[in-house]
């Protein structure tokens, strides 16, 4: 159907602008962070959530591809999205895109581009503001349930993700886009008028999203689309349920057909087809460092693209908590527990390495162990009050079990708490604390992406030396925290660790960036540091054009100095 449209006889008529603004608009003034529900007693919230959880557990949904607004399911290879808390439960079956589907999606993105790009920002923004309102009202409990069931989150982790952060991304991106459009030349010479245009990129954007945050998936397709780009979105195989629901919400919010095309599928095959098209203009990726590096290599190996592709990637982390002897003990212990074990350590920002001064290390670890022992790994969709659920899939479970097995054999490592795992029902790994005597040990450098916290004890007198060691071992550069009541120590660490963390926290845990408050991202092996939740990220998806209009006509080619 789309192919025939594309090859109709071209009509060189000046297409009457369908959209013209007769007003200069601004983003709604009330844009602020979405309030987070505490789920600590309001029975109506909890009963609505439980109703949604029941609905989605037994819905056995069929998830189609969505290309040019058309749902495609029939005759496609189907895969299961299972519940990681109860892996015998299939949450949905989803269609896998074929090569032909991907090419259809490219045609749809190409065909819908002109109209979407020609819409004024306020028209495009309205779709995302509407979506944010649908997310935080009509579909709030559905999205929570889908994220809890499909990605193994407890209700609080789901609430800060698929409700708070997702709505914040959509709303604050609108605010940032209007502010960006307002950035105009600061001068025009006499008889000249200079303007700046923020064109969308000339081709289509490829969005590739991770399993662990529904919000990140929304931002990966949403930020480019808001600016007039059209997108092919490949979701993670272990986030299908929530991601499909989000796509449905976007359609209800008025997203025109073809602007975002939902194409789950074999990531290698989907990518290969996309990168073979010259109109590929940008990769918007979040995921592991290895995958991102492979994608970059593949993109750089090709020279057929019409424009230099923009590559925006947020990847792995090995985030530190550095504790100074002056730190407030209980606050630091509890912050470390949250940073390391909330969402089972499956945050790119999770605290996975800890540096303790000798003078407080025993008391610190004792208090940490006492609190960790209160944590039960369980199905947090059944026990709404649960703290810790499963890891996302068997591959992750086996990787973590292997690491724990290695720790038991390594003379430089000692498991001081946890070390247990069981995948008979769900992929459950206990919160595990490991001590190392080697400040350069690989357990202090390698990302496990699970509930494993490794710590090293340093002599109190060697605070500066440990800062140097942390800097030296920071192949990643995502997040990090200093806990200290000593201002000079904070200043020293902040300076010495300037490039060890793109998000640097003082007396707070290494997770939990909030859109509009701490834009998120890091450099080194953690990504391109384009800072999700900021105007700088949006700038990566526009192709700026400078316009100079001259009102004065010349009457001679000579310049004043010519004779
Ligand atoms: N820096 C950040 O903001 C951030 C946020 C979330 C997750 N992460 C990182 O992501 C990882 C966890 O997420 P994950 O397990 O979903 O990551 P992943 O790299 O396994 O998958 C991410 C996406 O890449 C796709 N993919 C996998 N192999 C591919 C290939 N060869 N070609 C094209 N696409 C491919 C997957 O299908 C998925 O959609 C961790 O390393 C974590 O640190 C980083
Ligand atoms: N932005 C989130 C982490 C996202 C990666 O997984 C945080 O700051 O905790």
């Amino acid at each position: 159907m789309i192919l025939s449209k594309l090859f109709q006889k071209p009509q060189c008529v000046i297409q009457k602008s369908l959209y013209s603004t007769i007003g200069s608009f601004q983003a709604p003034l009330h844009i602020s962070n979405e309030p987070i529900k505490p789920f600590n007693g309001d029975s109506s919230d909890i009963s609505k959530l439980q109703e949604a959880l029941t609905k989605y557990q037994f819905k056995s949904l069929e998830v189609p591809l969505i290309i040019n607004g058309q749902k495609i399911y029939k005759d496609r290879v189907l895969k299961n999205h299972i519940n990681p808390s109860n892996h015998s439960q299939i949450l949905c079956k989803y269609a896998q895109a074929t090569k032909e589907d991907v090419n259809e999606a490219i045609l749809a993105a190409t065909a819908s581009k002109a109209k979407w790009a020609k819409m004024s920002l306020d028209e495009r923004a309205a779709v995302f503001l509407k979506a944010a309102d649908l997310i935080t009202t009509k579909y709030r409990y559905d999205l929570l349930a889908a994220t809890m069931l499909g990605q193994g989150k407890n209700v609080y982790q789901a609430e800060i993700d698929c409700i708070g952060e997702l709505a914040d991304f959509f709303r604050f991106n609108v605010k940032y886009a209007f502010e960006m459009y307002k950035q105009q030349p600061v001068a025009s010479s006499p008889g000249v008028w200079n303007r700046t245009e923020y064109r969308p990129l000339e081709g289509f954007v490829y969005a590739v999203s991770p399993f662990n945050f529904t919000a990140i998936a929304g931002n990966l397709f949403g930020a480019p689309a808001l600016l007039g780009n059209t997108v092919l979105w490949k979701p993670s195989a272990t986030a299908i349920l929530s991601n499909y629901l989000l796509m449905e919400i976007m359609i209800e919010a008025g997203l025109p057909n073809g602007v975002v095309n939902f194409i789950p599928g074999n990531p290698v095959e989907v990518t290969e087809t996309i990168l073979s098209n010259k109109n590929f203009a940008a990769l918007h990726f979040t995921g592991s460092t290895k995958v991102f590096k492979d994608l970059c290599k593949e993109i750089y190996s090709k020279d057929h693209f019409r424009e230099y592709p923009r590559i925006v990637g947020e990847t792995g982390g090995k985030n530190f908590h550095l504790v100074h002897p002056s730190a407030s003990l209980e606050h630091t212990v509890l912050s470390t527990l949250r940073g390391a074990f909330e969402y089972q350590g499956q945050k790119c920002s999770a605290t996975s390495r800890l540096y303790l001064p000798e003078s407080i290390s025993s008391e610190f670890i004792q208090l940490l162990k006492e609190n960790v022992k209160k944590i039960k790994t369980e199905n947090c969709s059944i026990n709404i009050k649960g703290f810790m659920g499963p890891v996302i899939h068997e591959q992750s479970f086996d990787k973590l079990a292997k690491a724990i097995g290695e720790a038991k054999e390594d003379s430089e490592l000692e498991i001081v708490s946890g070390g247990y795992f069981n995948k008979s029902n769900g992929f459950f790994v206990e919160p595990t604390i490991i001590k190392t005597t080697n400040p350069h040990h690989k357990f202090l450098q390698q990302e496990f992406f699970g509930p494993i916290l490794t710590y090293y004890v340093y002599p109190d007198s060697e605070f500066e030396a440990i800062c140097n060691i942390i800097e030296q071992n920071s192949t990643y550069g995502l997040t990090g925290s200093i806990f200290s009541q000593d201002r000079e120590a904070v200043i020293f660490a902040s300076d010495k660790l300037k490039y060890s963390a793109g998000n640097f926290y003082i007396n707070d845990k290494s997770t939990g960036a909030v859109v509009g408050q701490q834009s998120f991202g890091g450099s080194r092996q953690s990504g391109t540091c384009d800072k999700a939740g900021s105007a700088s990220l949006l700038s990566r998806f526009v192709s700026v054009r400078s316009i100079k209009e001259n009102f004065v006509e010349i009457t001679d080619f000579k310049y004043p100095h010519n004779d």
Side-chain angles (χ1 to χ4, degrees):
M1 178 190 62
I2 303 170
L3 283 163
S4 57
K5 275 192 177 169
L6 273 183
F7 295 103
Q8 271 169 348
K9 188 169 166 301
Q11 297 160 350
C12 58
V13 293
I14 296 175
Q15 186 183 17
K16 182 177 167 306
S17 170
L18 297 174
Y19 306 93
S20 61
T21 50
I22 46 176
S24 170
F25 303 112
Q26 63 186 17
L29 298 175
H30 64 280
I31 285 177
S32 59
N33 292 115
E34 172 66 16
I36 297 301
K37 287 184 181 288
F39 287 93
N40 65 349
D42 178 333
S43 55
S44 66
D45 277 334
I46 291 174
S47 57
K48 283 175 193 163
L49 174 63
Q50 283 169 332
E51 200 179 314
L53 285 166
T54 306
K55 180 170 78 172
Y56 281 95
Q57 279 190 78
F58 307 107
K59 199 177 175 75
S60 58
L61 205 56
E62 294 179 350
V63 173
L65 311 173
I66 299 181
I67 297 173
N68 199 35
Q70 307 303 310
K71 294 187 177 179
I72 303 162
Y73 187 82
K74 200 168 171 302
D75 305 331
R76 296 299 184 279
V77 170
L78 304 182
K79 289 257 185 183
N80 296 334
H81 180 198
I82 61 168
N83 179 347
S85 302
N86 171 11
H87 48 59
S88 61
Q89 189 179 59
I90 297 172
L91 296 170
C92 60
K93 287 186 179 302
Y94 63 98
Q96 298 269 295
T98 63
K99 181 175 177 171
E100 291 68 30
D101 292 323
V102 177
N103 282 322
E104 276 298 313
I106 291 170
L107 287 173
T110 307
S112 62
K113 175 69 176 290
K115 197 171 172 186
W116 179 244
K118 201 179 280 289
M119 269 191 195
S120 50
L121 176 60
D122 52 292
E123 298 293 352
R124 297 197 300 264
V127 171
F128 288 91
L129 294 173
K130 169 75 175 171
D133 280 3
L134 289 171
I135 287 159
T136 53
T137 55
K138 183 177 176 183
Y139 294 104
R140 190 180 197 111
Y141 303 96
D142 293 278
L143 258 181
L144 282 170
T147 299
M148 289 171 71
L149 291 166
Q151 288 131 280
K153 292 203 169 190
N154 69 29
V155 62
Y156 176 74
Q157 294 301 322
E159 172 78 5
I160 62 174
D161 166 18
C162 67
I163 307 300
E165 189 169 14
L166 180 57
D168 288 353
F169 270 137
F170 283 177
R171 290 168 177 153
F172 278 90
N173 280 347
V174 166
K175 183 181 173 65
Y176 296 141
F178 273 98
E179 288 169 359
M180 179 167 70
Y181 278 32
K182 284 202 188 88
Q183 299 302 310
Q184 290 297 318
V186 292
S188 288
S189 306
V192 165
W193 183 20
N194 297 314
R195 290 135 33 214
T196 298
E197 241 179 11
Y198 293 88
R199 303 172 296 180
L201 304 179
E202 203 168 359
F204 63 86
V205 176
Y206 179 31
V208 181
S209 53
F211 79 83
N212 66 338
F213 275 78
T214 305
I216 292 175
N219 191 50
L220 288 173
F221 71 75
L226 174 63
L227 298 163
N229 295 287
T230 52
V231 184
L232 276 74
W233 171 28
K234 196 209 70 63
S236 167
T238 45
I240 296 290
L241 186 61
S242 63
N243 287 196
Y244 170 63
L245 183 55
L246 175 54
M247 188 66 199
E248 290 271 46
I249 292 168
M250 296 307 302
I251 293 167
E252 184 172 331
L255 189 72
N257 292 345
V259 172
V260 177
N261 298 278
F262 181 75
I263 48 165
N266 175 302
V268 174
E269 291 170 12
V270 169
T271 302
E272 191 178 11
T273 307
I274 284 174
L275 297 186
S276 65
N277 190 292
K278 70 176 173 47
N279 293 317
F280 164 73
L283 170 68
H284 199 192
F285 174 86
T286 297
S288 62
T289 296
K290 179 182 182 323
V291 169
F292 184 59
K293 283 184 166 183
D294 290 348
L295 284 168
C296 290
K297 261 188 277 185
E298 213 177 327
I299 293 166
Y300 291 138
S301 71
K302 300 180 188 306
D303 64 358
H304 60 234
F305 302 120
R306 184 163 53 180
E307 59 184 305
Y308 293 111
R310 305 286 176 88
I311 298 180
V312 178
E314 295 299 332
T315 61
K318 187 68 181 182
N319 314 295
F320 60 85
H321 275 190
L322 168 58
V323 182
H324 184 263
S326 66
S328 163
L329 186 74
E330 183 182 44
H331 168 70
T332 308
V333 168
L334 299 177
S335 301
T336 302
L337 185 151
R338 282 182 167 180
F341 301 125
E342 63 190 1
Y343 192 36
Q344 301 76 274
Q346 294 178 126
K347 297 184 178 184
C348 55
S349 54
T351 313
S352 52
R353 53 178 175 149
L354 169 67
Y355 301 87
L356 291 174
E358 202 160 9
S359 58
I360 62 169
S361 61
S362 303
E363 198 182 353
F364 186 104
I365 294 300
Q366 186 54 39
L367 190 56
L368 182 60
K369 285 166 66 174
E370 278 170 21
N371 281 283
V372 163
K373 291 220 182 313
K374 297 174 188 173
I375 297 173
K376 180 180 171 225
T377 52
E378 59 187 315
N379 184 336
C380 297
S381 307
I382 293 175
N383 175 15
I384 300 291
K385 296 185 181 304
F387 179 88
M388 191 166 169
V391 295
I392 189 65
H393 44 47
E394 189 162 24
Q395 182 194 352
S396 174
F397 178 92
D398 292 345
K399 176 181 165 186
L400 293 161
K402 181 168 177 280
I404 291 169
E406 276 179 24
K408 290 173 181 168
E409 305 302 321
D410 188 324
S411 61
E412 292 183 321
L413 298 176
E414 178 198 350
I415 296 177
V416 301
S417 180
Y420 305 101
F421 39 83
N422 181 319
K423 62 178 176 184
S424 51
N425 289 315
F427 303 117
F428 293 107
V429 179
E430 300 291 319
T432 298
I433 304 168
I434 297 174
K435 178 179 182 179
T436 181
T437 54
N438 173 1
H440 304 286
H441 198 283
K442 69 173 182 178
F443 271 46
L444 291 172
Q445 301 183 51
Q446 191 180 335
E447 180 184 59
F448 295 116
F449 214 59
I452 295 178
L453 172 67
T454 303
Y455 75 94
Y456 173 75
V457 178
Y458 70 91
D460 286 38
S461 60
E462 295 183 13
F463 177 75
E464 292 189 7
I466 199 65
C467 287
N468 287 316
I469 289 173
I470 293 171
E471 158 57 19
Q472 195 185 335
N473 292 334
S474 294
T475 45
Y476 294 102
L478 197 49
T479 77
S481 307
I482 165 87
F483 289 85
S484 169
Q485 301 304 317
D486 177 324
R487 182 50 53 183
E488 278 188 30
V490 169
I491 293 166
F492 181 87
S494 175
D495 180 57
K496 184 54 71 179
L497 302 172
K498 191 175 287 292
Y499 287 93
S500 302
N503 281 64
F504 185 71
Y505 299 97
I506 301 170
N507 292 318
D508 202 352
K509 61 187 171 72
S510 65
T511 62
V514 177
V515 177
Q517 298 189 37
Q518 305 95 19
S519 59
F520 190 76
S523 48
R524 294 185 177 172
Q525 301 301 300
S526 291
T528 53
C529 203
D530 288 299
K531 305 307 274 188
S534 73
S536 61
L537 177 90
L538 297 188
S539 68
R540 302 284 283 126
F541 296 101
V542 291
S543 173
V544 178
R545 181 167 77 151
S546 298
I547 298 169
K548 172 185 179 183
E549 184 167 3
N550 172 40
F551 303 121
V552 177
E553 293 179 359
I554 59 173
T555 55
D556 190 340
F557 75 88
K558 291 179 184 171
Y559 285 96
H561 75 285
N562 297 126
D563 58 13

